[in-house]
Amino acid sequence: MAKPAPLSPLAPARFPDLPPIAGVRLATAEAGIRYKGRTDVLMALFDPGTTVAGVFTRSKCPSAPVDWCRAALKHGTARTLVVNSGNANAFTGLKGRQAVELTAEIAAKAAGCRPEEVYLASTGVIGEPLDASKFAGVLDETAGRAAPGAFEAAAQAIMTTDTFPKGATASVDLGGVPVTIAGIAKGAGMIMPDMATMLSFVFTDAPIAAPVLQALLSKGVVDSFNAVTVDSDTSTSDTLLLFATGKAAAAPITELGDPRLKPFARALDAVLLDLAQQVARDGEGARKFVTVAVTGATSKRAARRVAMSIANSPLVKTAIAGEDANWGRVVMAVGKAGERAERDRLSIFFGDIRVAVEGARDPAYDEAATSAYMKGQEILLRVDLGLGRARDRVFTCDLTKEYVAINGDYRS
Amino acid sequence: MAKPAPLSPLAPARFPDLPPIAGVRLATAEAGIRYKGRTDVLMALFDPGTTVAGVFTRSKCPSAPVDWCRAALKHGTARTLVVNSGNANAFTGLKGRQAVELTAEIAAKAAGCRPEEVYLASTGVIGEPLDASKFAGVLDETAGRAAPGAFEAAAQAIMTTDTFPKGATASVDLGGVPVTIAGIAKGAGMIMPDMATMLSFVFTDAPIAAPVLQALLSKGVVDSFNAVTVDSDTSTSDTLLLFATGKAAAAPITELGDPRLKPFARALDAVLLDLAQQVARDGEGARKFVTVAVTGATSKRAARRVAMSIANSPLVKTAIAGEDANWGRVVMAVGKAGERAERDRLSIFFGDIRVAVEGARDPAYDEAATSAYMKGQEILLRVDLGLGRARDRVFTCDLTKEYVAINGDYRS
């Protein structure tokens, strides 16, 4: 394990105040799975009636816990969530499946529920067998300590190479009844849709049926977690779970057409976006948070592909790390995206500064102003394709020597 | 301009002996386009009757010289080639086209030919207008000095961040008549099919009609230049040109079915592969040459996609830089490729050492032997998908802090 990286300069000043969610109790523990002297297990307990939705990695080689959660989701209800850091239990073959089954059994006993109401996630090293027997004594004791709130400790327990815990919250009026959403997430490398490589768990006291919850989550992920890339690599373990306890005093929502859903969906989207952006802000070695916006496209899909091509280009990302407004490399990345592009209609902006227009450097280009802009921590890179009216944006970070250092000796 | 990087540890001991090609004369010059105190122009003159074939970047925003060559290829004959380093004349709008036209005019005058018999290539910074008037005095004088041979000087004149000049040659029997192939290339960043970002010029005295030459080249590039990736970035300027002077005393080849072509194609493929591998060996910051082989696939196309996913993964490449046989990241890259994969059928080898089998770590895995292997400069990473009989391989290099350093201040 490399020594912990210093706090990302893009970290928020502090962890936000996340209110307790009625029906959700949390506890963390030290199971000694890999790390010493820090928590590495998060256990969440949910009151009966809690519904659940999930979105997972699109990797063709998903981890054993992802397989488990996908199967469990068919039941649509959840009573407990167990997350460990330090070992991803991915590519561990039969042993991995056995570890998942044993963990679910231990967790179900601790939570007093059936195994199919247990949700599991693991993050850390891939390919090392996870010794699930380590959970045996731990989960009983942990469940006993579970209490409302404590989101910051929960966010800390699931960190791997993250340099700060990530949380976000929103309150929303559900047809006259106030409901709350609170979520946590971890990154920080192997981050690329779909999903962004990460774990995120979001909780609400709103009473929403599982199929409706799933529709909201599947839609919400598109412009949040699936719009974030750190290094173009996709984890085998990406997991985003949304739990709804239904403890708020509102009538249950069972239809997607329910008018009360609109503000709720907006609030959920904001929480997901906030968490996803924090993942990019904590990208391994990141020193700059980069928004790549593409306008003037013929479709949102085309805009997304061009934006991702730019956001994943090592040459664009190293240039930004070097505080170099190297728009030539942006052109390169537009060109390689495979979407329609007309060189002579392209405009490129860094912040408000137009550096290129109509296929060439902007005649009014001001090197000094651009250099000053590039020294900032928040970089907006905008490309106008000049072809249509569709647009999209994605979020990433720069590519620094620290990324290579962190990943060059992660396992050693 | 960053200061020159030290010689790649993967460089060959010396530039190979490239014999002169009958009908080809070369000269280099210092035009002062960007660099000082080094040659930055290559001029090749071809005897009348020289045929030509070309393969170019698939970027949707190709450089002005690429547009020019594509148009010229319709004529199928070549009398001169002018290459400059230091400025790619890419994304330079109307000025870029004007610069190309002016350069072709100057070159045609110097070579005594029509402009459409002039081939042009430029490499270096993108987006800066190229001052073609700098060629005005230079090309006349350069053409006057052109002489057979001198391939090493030619390869040096087209270098940008390359740390060594690249050349390769082969001799072959063309129906009883000896013919020769000689080629040069430059890399070294922004290297990803299709094409690998690079310039390469290959010359032969074989008498081959342009359409046949084009078929050979288009096929030959698939497993050579298009099987190389340094950083997944695709240049706007990739250009591979093959010139055949027809000076060898053999009857002209006008049909692809000509039985004399088989050994010639094999020799051409070998030259292209040698050059392409040298490009990967000189990838920016490279310290290890990596062959990624995928076997057991259901099709060559699937094997190529999986191999490229591995070869382009920043996490795999940084692990190799860190001499870490991190096969978990290999699984990740297999999973994200989008091709069919069954976790429990995967085997992964570093060199001859099987590190993973049937979805888990090889029970006989020997950490010490693997670590020793990873310290080498030549790494073979093989994945067997266990699904079929198709295979493919691609070439890349590791991702080091030096890559970030080189690209973080290239323009400054």
Side-chain angles (χ1 to χ4, degrees), chain B residues 30-34 36 40-41 102 106 130-139:
Chain B
E30 292 186 29
I33 289 163
R34 181 179 187 88
K36 303 284 167 212
D40 55 2
V41 171
L102 180 57
I106 296 168
L130 173 67
D131 181 6
S133 68
K134 286 194 174 167
F135 292 121
V138 172
L139 294 188

Side-chain angles (χ1 to χ4, degrees), chain A residues 1-4 34-35 38 86 124-125 160-161 409-412:
Chain A
M1 203 68 205
K3 66 174 184 299
R34 181 179 187 88
Y35 309 119
R38 57 155 278 190
V125 171
T160 53
T161 56
D409 57 356
Y410 179 79
R411 225 176 61 117
S412 51

